[in-house]
Amino acid sequence: MQLNNLGFPRIGRQRELKFALEKYWRGEINQAQLIDISRELRQTHWRWQADAGVTLLPVGDFAFYDQVLTLSATLDVIPKRHRGETPTDLDTLFRIGRGRAPSGKDAPAAEMTKFFNTNYHYIVPELTEDQRFDIGYQQLFDEVSEAQRLGYQPKPVLLGPVSFLYLSKAVESEFDKLSLLPRLIEAYQKLLQRFVSQGVEWVQLDEPVLALELEGDWQAAISQAYRELARSNVRILLASYYGSIAHHHHLVADLPVAGLHLDLVTAPEQLQTFLPSLGAEQVLSAGVINGRNVWAAELDELAEGLSSVAGDLKQRLWLSPSCSLLHSPVDLEIETNLAPELKLQLSFAKQKLAELTKLKLLLTEPNSAEANAIVLECQARRDARAEAANQQVIARVEALTERDYQRDDAFPVRQAAQRARYRLPLLPTTTIGSFPQTPAIRGLRSRWRKGEISLEHYNQQLRQVTKDTIERQLKLDIDVLVHGEAERNDMVEYFGEQLEGVGFTQFGWVQSYGSRCVKPPLIYGDVSRPTAMTVKWAEFAQSLTEKPVKGMLTGPVTILHWSFAREDISREQIATQIALAIRDEVVELQDAGIGIIQIDEPAFREGLPLKKSDWQHYLNWAVNGFKLSAAGVNNETQIHTHMCYSEFNETIAAIGAMDADVITIETSRSRMELLNAFEDFNYPNEIGPGVYDIHSPNTPTVEEILDLMQKAATKLPVEQLWVNPDCGLKTRTWDEVEPALVNLVEATKQLRRTLG
């Protein structure tokens, strides 16, 4: 029996990679120093895995920005605008991912979207009809050699060819991406031969597309790809995750691969489907430790379910996390402030490797004293969870009726009342919510948390920041203002810290994209709101101006998806509990005089099951969660929502059913292509398509913004349109934000004059 790992977080337990990247981008360290820091991180993570008993160490899970982007560079898939006179290097990747690097010319960044149903964002590969593939970047091979020099046996890990094609985007012309498959397979064969020449025995190829309901041509592509790749003199572990692949059982069972990884956390039932069809020499990697959540595994129950399999397969059984541990925080050991009863229930990436070791012990030495201690530990965790129930919250959910989910009147009636109250101009301008979290703000928060300054002094300084933010917006002549969220560490964590039934960590960071990391709350019990969370800041900001200031909230579906949620009740039940807490906040904001309230749901689409046949149930409860949070207000109160980095075509009916008065969305990287869904659907409510990419430091020109606004006006009636950036401005600097917003307002005024 062997321990297997599909991938490890690369950011470091203290976010060392994040800080190194940002220092490099700012010119505070050079590229050699950045590479040295990354090498130290990789070697630390390899040592941890080896110490836990993992013999084939994943290599290729490390990336300076995104592993899909690294693979694109490896395959020489570089957009023309990012190609330079010199060969592809690290700065090439940064220009693709963020539009700018310390060297080379600025160019619009490539599209970024979410990796299947996760909150990890990948850089979308851009393919042309005449695309050629070759080995164009050496990082992956260099890391294989690096691991070997340290005495480790590397297992290169990369996205499989069919998933790579599926996640790519056709550019310059419309064509069938699968027409490129033969050329791509040839490139993968070159990659595999390079690995063979380096002495590699196993390569892990990830095909998460298998969890989707693939059309026949994509199924044929899987069969073609792996029959041809099997000719390479290397053993392939085919891995899929995030859902069951049992619906593709016959396709997968016929593939000539040396090993198969199954996600047995999301779909434990598929084990019995695939066991009878395993080849006599084929390895089964059993993904039984949850790679996407932080709750400690029920190891005793897992051992009971796997005991007969372990006896049958023996050395052909590999114990593994369900997916890459990229989605998990790094190390629980450094968490010193968690309540002991909560910490007992947790397991981060490093501890999940230890869980594999414990599970192996339970399977191989079930009657040992060590095994008995593990069983007792599991029972103690179950007892602690049972004591966390809040009967008042449970009763409130059970008492809900259909009326609780409905606004008083339909949108046309609400729209008339809102227009009469606010008298906003054509094409109202606004921002998404957050303004720059400067080093001064972050330092202030750090000093307060350490007890170096009083809460009174902290709040006094934040009031001054909020006042400055309002004054800047007034000077810019923005129509609907925001208070800037200076008091918030994160759009989800901030609320998690104030809700009952929710805990939070000091260092439980996970990567979202590039150097962007988030620290998800821990939903361990029934959720409720003991007191107002945002009202005082909204009231203060509104007292500074006669222009409307939006109240800013994170919606229930996003809080759920961007938290590590308990697993003993359904996600629908958790979302309903959170929705009631947000509803209480919405009503209190309205009662305090805040007439425009934004309830952000950027993770709405992220929660979609991978199989379309399972979508409707999710969409029903997700829509209801948003409606429950928003339905307690009167007609004059305008409810906004925000979504970003999502495809809308297949969920547009559900988005319409949410019935927000205004929705703002990210559209600049796609150059308004995402608006097609709203145009085709004849979306009736108001909409703010983003007109510049906030994830790039580049300043959009008036002409660029005007061009995008004119494109939007050809798709939807101009009376429906708002003007705003793609997303919040938290990660940018004021030197970047103000020129961009000056141009946004100027472009809007020009278009207003053109339209009369």
Side-chain angles (χ1 to χ4, degrees), residues 74 91 148 170 227-228 274 297 386 593 601 606 629 668 707 745:
T74 304
D91 278 0
Q148 290 172 328
R227 291 191 182 284
E228 296 192 30
F274 281 96
E601 286 291 17
E606 180 182 311
S629 70
S668 70
D707 177 60
V745 172

Side-chain angles (χ1 to χ4, degrees), residues 580-599:
L580 285 170
I582 299 300
R583 179 190 182 99
D584 293 343
E585 187 75 8
V586 169
V587 171
E588 198 160 336
L589 281 168
Q590 174 186 260
D591 293 346
I594 307 301
I596 300 180
I597 302 170
Q598 184 169 308
I599 308 172

Side-chain angles (χ1 to χ4, degrees), residues 316-624:
R316 292 193 295 128
L317 176 64
W318 293 4
L319 302 177
S320 174
S322 59
C323 61
S324 170
L325 296 175
L326 170 71
H327 310 294
S328 174
V330 178
D331 188 6
L332 184 63
E333 290 176 7
I334 59 175
E335 295 291 340
T336 58
N337 292 342
L338 286 170
E341 61 272 17
L342 179 56
K343 190 172 183 178
L344 174 69
Q345 299 181 47
L346 299 175
S347 177
F348 292 178
K350 189 179 178 185
Q351 287 68 45
K352 289 179 186 296
L353 299 176
E355 286 186 312
L356 292 176
T357 304
K358 292 178 180 179
L359 179 58
K360 181 179 178 180
L361 188 147
L362 285 173
L363 288 167
T364 56
E365 303 177 41
N367 298 318
S368 65
E370 292 88 346
N372 289 335
I374 294 169
V375 172
L376 290 174
E377 184 180 20
C378 291
Q379 186 56 53
R381 278 197 295 270
R382 286 190 283 268
D383 293 343
R385 281 199 301 270
E387 297 175 1
N390 184 326
Q391 296 302 325
Q392 289 182 319
V393 174
I394 295 170
R396 189 179 180 194
V397 170
E398 291 175 348
L400 288 170
T401 67
E402 186 176 344
R403 181 68 187 86
D404 293 312
Y405 295 85
Q406 306 297 327
R407 295 286 295 272
D408 289 340
D409 289 293
F411 172 70
V413 177
R414 304 197 308 265
Q415 184 184 48
Q418 292 159 16
R419 288 182 171 177
R421 177 177 178 180
Y422 299 112
R423 302 193 178 278
L424 297 172
L426 186 70
L427 299 167
T429 56
T430 190
T431 60
I432 303 305
S434 59
F435 271 100
Q437 287 267 326
T438 64
I441 294 172
R442 292 195 299 271
L444 184 72
R445 183 178 301 117
S446 176
R447 288 164 58 205
W448 169 61
R449 288 189 182 277
K450 292 176 182 176
E452 296 173 1
I453 59 175
S454 68
L455 178 59
E456 181 181 0
H457 178 72
Y458 176 61
N459 286 335
Q460 180 184 7
Q461 294 296 306
L462 289 181
R463 282 192 290 271
Q464 184 57 47
V465 173
T466 302
K467 185 173 184 291
D468 175 69
T469 302
I470 294 293
E471 290 173 350
R472 288 176 188 258
Q473 293 172 86
L474 291 172
K475 184 177 179 181
L476 289 163
D477 200 21
I478 294 173
D479 299 309
V480 175
L481 313 186
V482 297
H483 79 286
E485 304 179 15
E487 78 285 0
R488 304 186 190 184
N489 44 14
D490 175 78
M491 66 179 293
V492 173
E493 184 183 6
Y494 176 77
F495 292 95
E497 290 176 339
Q498 300 182 77
L499 293 169
E500 294 289 345
V502 182
F504 53 94
T505 63
Q506 291 174 277
F507 306 106
W509 298 96
V510 292
Q511 184 181 22
S512 180
Y513 61 87
S515 68
R516 169 72 169 154
C517 300
V518 295
K519 187 148 59 74
L522 313 170
I523 301 177
Y524 64 85
D526 297 305
V527 179
S528 62
R529 186 198 76 137
T531 187
M533 301 180 286
T534 67
V535 174
K536 69 174 184 178
W537 289 110
E539 281 186 301
F540 173 70
Q542 187 63 77
S543 73
L544 302 173
T545 178
E546 293 183 357
K547 284 190 171 184
V549 178
K550 285 191 288 190
M552 298 300 307
L553 303 172
T554 303
V557 177
T558 295
I559 291 177
L560 169 63
H561 291 328
W562 289 359
S563 298
F564 292 120
R566 57 192 288 199
E567 298 173 329
D568 58 325
I569 65 173
S570 72
R571 295 177 73 80
E572 177 180 359
Q573 290 173 287
I574 300 170
T576 303
Q577 292 180 1
I578 301 171
L580 285 170
I582 299 300
R583 179 190 182 99
D584 293 343
E585 187 75 8
V586 169
V587 171
E588 198 160 336
L589 281 168
Q590 174 186 260
D591 293 346
I594 307 301
I596 300 180
I597 302 170
Q598 184 169 308
I599 308 172
D600 287 343
E601 286 291 17
F604 180 84
R605 194 186 190 284
E606 180 182 311
L608 277 174
L610 294 182
K611 296 173 179 60
K612 289 185 179 180
S613 57
D614 297 330
W615 279 15
Q616 197 55 53
H617 174 71
Y618 164 76
L619 290 172
N620 288 344
W621 67 253
V623 167
N624 280 340

Side-chain angles (χ1 to χ4, degrees), residues 140-175:
L140 184 54
F141 308 109
D142 292 342
E143 290 173 6
V144 167
S145 297
E146 179 186 341
Q148 290 172 328
R149 285 194 299 271
L150 294 169
Y152 299 129
Q153 187 176 1
K155 178 191 62 176
V157 173
L158 57 158
L159 195 64
V162 179
S163 291
F164 181 81
L165 268 187
Y166 194 93
L167 296 177
S168 299
K169 176 182 180 180
V171 297
E172 298 183 3
S173 63
E174 291 293 328
F175 65 94

